[in-house]
Amino acid sequence: MVVLTKPSLEQVSLPTPHKPRSCFSGIPVIDMLEPGAESLLVKACEEFGLFKVTNHGVPMELVARLEDEAVKFFSLPQMEKERSGPANPFGYGNRKIGGNGDVGWLEYLLLEVTSKSISHASLAFLKETCARSFCSVLNEYIQAMRRLASEVLELMAQGLMIEPRNIFSKVVMDEESDSVLRLNHYPPCPLLLQGLNGTMTGFGEHTDPQLISVLRSNNTSGLEISLRDGTWVSVLPDTESFFINVGDSLQVLTNGRFRSVRHRVVANGYKSRVSMVYFGGPPSRERLAPLPLLMGEGEQSMYREFTWYEYKRCAYRSRLADNRLEQFES
């Protein structure tokens, strides 16, 4: 799969190359319909902060339709794409990630997820007649992601043996949930074809601020994660499964029992990579702190209480690689 147009360089300096990593085959795979899946899921969250789910109930036909629409969008002339931006924070972005100096070899479309139809978003092009099919599949996909995120979070609660079962999922299913859908395009990097020694960063290392992220990409590699010992490994793509990332907010709620996974994306010299990421976040007013239900006798809280609004404001002021949770430790 090739996206036809090339993103404009916009005179932005390229990220620093780094050495390629070995492929890692140990990512947990969890069948959501298998008895005992909830226990395996908890173990994966504790050991990796990342796992794949199968039998997830999301039609592959829906995934393919959204990927097709994303490819059509990223294939538009640069001037047309820029009608949807600049990302501040929502809209079209090209190379610049946030407002604090981070850059990557990618272009993206960042969409706010609310209880309203995506056609009511603040992006003008989504209100146009020509974007009707794009809006339709976006709405279907977002609903599927909300359901999947909710089911995964309820399995987490079940595996942790806490009640109510929706103690996590109700946060992302709230009408005022502050969630996001991100469509990323990492075009082939020509410098890698010119014999550049190493790999080029597509999206720099970071953790996700929300509770969980639901990721799906095409069959092009690029995702890397940091294991608990700090070793970086490459994660093979899987077009039939969804990757689930533990986010910072879930790390706080579990008092560090679940760890948000540090990850990044490297560019490819030959193939385009298209990924779709749903970030399930809490409402702005939601107060985040370790759940007493998950703390043993005498266990100290690792984090002070704060609102999602406070944490998001901190995230917007920070660089990608910063450890944002340090500011909220007890």
Side-chain angles (χ1 to χ4, degrees), residues 97-103 319:
I97 305 170
N100 300 303
D102 289 296
V103 296
R319 298 291 300 269

Side-chain angles (χ1 to χ4, degrees), residues 31 45 58 70 116 128 150 158 161 215 220 224 290 297 304:
D31 183 339
C45 291
V58 180
K116 298 179 181 178
E128 298 175 3
S150 176
Q158 184 178 340
M161 294 182 289
L215 164 69
T220 301
E224 295 185 347
E297 185 176 352
R304 63 177 176 83

Side-chain angles (χ1 to χ4, degrees), residues 200-228:
M200 185 65 68
T201 299
F203 203 110
E205 66 173 271
H206 63 286
T207 59
D208 295 334
Q210 294 85 356
L211 271 77
I212 62 170
S213 311
V214 184
L215 164 69
R216 195 270 179 191
S217 73
N218 64 351
N219 200 28
T220 301
S221 62
L223 177 64
E224 295 185 347
I225 66 168
S226 176
L227 302 178
R228 291 290 180 256

Side-chain angles (χ1 to χ4, degrees), residues 312-328:
K312 189 170 72 166
R313 185 174 58 181
C314 169
Y316 282 146
R317 291 199 302 259
S318 64
R319 298 291 300 269
L320 275 178
D322 290 347
N323 181 358
R324 296 175 291 266
L325 281 178
E326 279 185 340
Q327 299 182 41
F328 300 91

Side-chain angles (χ1 to χ4, degrees), residues 69-320:
E69 291 292 340
V71 168
K72 288 178 186 176
F73 173 80
F74 290 123
S75 298
L76 291 172
Q78 191 65 28
M79 287 185 64
E80 290 192 39
K81 288 183 288 190
E82 289 174 353
R83 292 171 55 211
S84 309
N88 189 30
F90 301 108
Y92 174 75
N94 178 18
R95 289 300 217 286
K96 298 178 182 179
I97 305 170
N100 300 303
D102 289 296
V103 296
W105 188 265
L106 86 161
E107 57 179 342
Y108 59 89
L109 189 62
L110 191 63
L111 301 169
E112 183 180 17
V113 174
T114 68
S115 57
K116 298 179 181 178
S117 166
I118 202 72
S119 61
H120 293 102
S122 58
L123 305 183
F125 89 100
L126 286 176
K127 300 177 183 178
E128 298 175 3
T129 304
C130 61
R132 189 171 296 165
S133 62
F134 197 6
C135 286
S136 175
V137 70
L138 279 170
N139 284 320
E140 284 185 62
Y141 190 81
I142 287 168
Q143 291 308 311
M145 291 301 98
R146 292 187 77 192
R147 286 193 298 270
L148 178 56
S150 176
E151 290 168 7
V152 169
L153 288 167
E154 290 184 3
L155 277 176
M156 287 181 183
Q158 184 178 340
L160 290 167
M161 294 182 289
I162 56 175
E163 295 286 347
R165 193 167 186 263
N166 71 342
I167 194 166
F168 298 134
S169 64
K170 66 182 180 181
V171 177
V172 299
M173 294 301 286
D174 191 290
E175 283 193 358
E176 297 182 14
S177 164
D178 185 17
S179 298
V180 173
L181 181 69
R182 185 183 185 104
L183 306 178
N184 296 315
H185 169 225
Y186 302 89
C189 181
L191 292 181
L192 295 176
L193 298 180
Q194 296 170 14
L196 179 71
N197 186 23
T199 59
M200 185 65 68
T201 299
F203 203 110
E205 66 173 271
H206 63 286
T207 59
D208 295 334
Q210 294 85 356
L211 271 77
I212 62 170
S213 311
V214 184
L215 164 69
R216 195 270 179 191
S217 73
N218 64 351
N219 200 28
T220 301
S221 62
L223 177 64
E224 295 185 347
I225 66 168
S226 176
L227 302 178
R228 291 290 180 256
D229 64 1
T231 302
W232 283 94
V233 295
S234 176
V235 179
L236 293 172
D238 185 338
T239 58
E240 299 296 319
S241 305
F242 284 92
F243 288 90
I244 309 294
N245 290 2
V246 171
D248 295 342
S249 297
L250 192 56
Q251 178 172 317
V252 170
L253 293 174
T254 60
N255 203 35
R257 181 170 174 180
F258 292 179
R259 295 283 299 278
S260 56
V261 61
R262 186 163 287 271
H263 56 288
R264 65 190 180 197
V265 175
V266 297
N268 189 291
Y270 296 93
K271 299 179 181 178
S272 289
R273 182 175 188 268
V274 174
S275 66
M276 306 174 289
V277 194
Y278 170 82
F279 302 91
S284 292
R285 67 177 187 282
E286 187 74 20
R287 306 195 73 81
L288 301 172
L291 296 175
L293 288 168
L294 291 175
M295 296 174 65
E297 185 176 352
E299 181 179 351
Q300 297 296 310
S301 174
M302 294 175 60
Y303 306 98
R304 63 177 176 83
E305 186 179 75
F306 55 92
T307 65
W308 169 244
Y309 173 79
E310 290 177 276
Y311 192 58
K312 189 170 72 166
R313 185 174 58 181
C314 169
Y316 282 146
R317 291 199 302 259
S318 64
R319 298 291 300 269
L320 275 178

